[in-house]
Amino acid sequence: MIQKGMGSVAEEKDKLQEENLTNETTTGTEESAETAQETESRETAQDVTGEGTKDSREQSKEEKKDKKRKEKADKKQDALKEKIEELEDRVKRQMAEFENFRKRTEKEKTAMFETGAKSVIEKILPVVDNFERGLAAVPEDEKGGGFAQGMEMIYKQLMTELENMGVKPIAAVGEEFNPDFHNAVMQVDSEEFESGIIAQELLKGYTYRDSVVRHSMVAVVS
């Protein structure tokens, strides 16, 4: 009976040892599985992180390239703007120079024309003087004749054309002496005019566009 009881105890002991061994094996297997899973998770996380870092580096490189391209384009655009401004400034200066040249040339042409016109007028004035002298010398009984009337018409036509050109006679008799328009060649006594007044016109003077072509030769009251 005692031996049988001891055998049962031994069997129970062996059974307990087997169960403990089984539990330890299961626990070890579970722990190994968990460890493997954790390792795999870490590796996966590292792979993802690595890929993310690689993508970030590539994106950063692309951003730097885009930035450089933009800076290069901006510099090129600034250079073009500067060149355009330089060309515009050059064109403006050339236009201003041309405008000044045109005005200067126009002024020179006008001055040359004025000089030429005054020269021609100076040559015509003696002809006008001779017309006036000839008409003044016509006797009273011949002033109604055809020759005298023809001379008068020619004289009036000549004076009209000179007036249209801007030639005007200078007022003299009864006017105060003005050295800008009159040339006093003699002094006379006069009961009609005061001192300094022109009493007689010896040679008629003319102006061309407010410029004196020939001074009047006059006699001034002393």
Side-chain angles (χ1 to χ4, degrees):
M1 291 290 293
I2 296 171
Q3 292 178 352
K4 185 178 182 179
M6 292 179 63
S8 299
V9 171
E11 290 177 356
E12 289 294 331
K13 184 177 179 181
D14 292 337
K15 187 176 181 180
L16 289 174
Q17 290 179 351
E18 289 179 357
E19 288 179 357
N20 290 332
L21 181 62
T22 301
N23 289 333
E24 289 177 358
T25 302
T26 303
T27 302
T29 302
E30 289 178 354
E31 289 177 353
S32 299
E34 290 178 357
T35 303
Q37 186 175 2
E38 288 177 359
T39 303
E40 183 178 359
S41 298
R42 283 197 298 272
E43 289 177 353
T44 303
Q46 288 177 355
D47 292 339
V48 172
T49 304
E51 290 179 358
T53 305
K54 182 178 180 181
D55 292 340
S56 299
R57 287 198 297 269
E58 291 179 355
Q59 185 177 1
S60 178
K61 288 181 179 179
E62 289 297 327
E63 290 178 353
K64 288 181 179 180
K65 289 181 180 179
D66 291 339
K67 185 177 180 182
K68 288 182 179 180
R69 284 195 293 267
K70 185 177 180 181
E71 289 177 353
K72 187 176 181 180
D74 291 340
K75 288 181 180 179
K76 188 175 181 180
Q77 189 70 18
D78 293 340
L80 289 175
K81 287 182 179 179
E82 185 177 355
K83 187 66 176 179
I84 290 172
E85 290 177 357
E86 181 182 352
L87 292 174
E88 287 179 349
D89 182 66
R90 186 181 300 176
V91 170
K92 289 179 180 178
R93 284 190 281 108
Q94 288 180 349
M95 290 179 65
E97 290 176 0
F98 177 77
E99 184 65 19
N100 293 333
F101 172 77
R102 187 188 65 80
K103 290 180 179 179
R104 185 170 61 253
T105 303
E106 189 68 24
K107 187 176 180 180
E108 290 175 356
K109 286 172 62 178
T110 302
M112 290 176 63
F113 177 80
E114 296 289 332
T115 303
K118 287 178 70 174
S119 178
V120 173
I121 292 168
E122 288 176 354
K123 290 179 173 62
I124 292 175
L125 291 181
V127 179
V128 174
D129 297 336
N130 289 331
F131 261 108
E132 292 176 347
R133 293 190 187 99
L135 291 173
V138 175
E140 288 294 331
D141 56 349
E142 294 181 6
K143 287 186 178 181
F147 178 76
Q149 288 182 355
M151 293 287 289
E152 184 71 26
M153 291 176 63
I154 295 172
Y155 171 74
K156 288 181 179 179
Q157 183 181 6
L158 179 59
M159 295 306 297
T160 300
E161 293 299 327
L162 289 174
E163 185 176 356
N164 291 337
M165 290 174 59
V167 179
K168 297 179 181 179
I170 297 173
V173 178
E175 299 290 329
E176 185 177 358
F177 174 76
N178 186 344
D180 293 333
F181 298 101
H182 308 122
N183 182 19
V185 296
M186 58 184 300
Q187 290 183 339
V188 295
D189 295 329
S190 175
E191 296 178 357
E192 184 179 0
F193 301 108
E194 297 179 355
S195 176
I197 302 299
I198 298 172
Q200 185 180 358
E201 184 180 53
L202 305 176
L203 182 65
K204 188 179 292 184
Y206 292 90
T207 59
Y208 171 65
R209 296 183 180 180
D210 300 328
S211 177
V212 176
V213 178
R214 187 176 73 182
H215 289 74
S216 298
M217 294 179 64
V218 297
V220 183
V221 178
S222 58

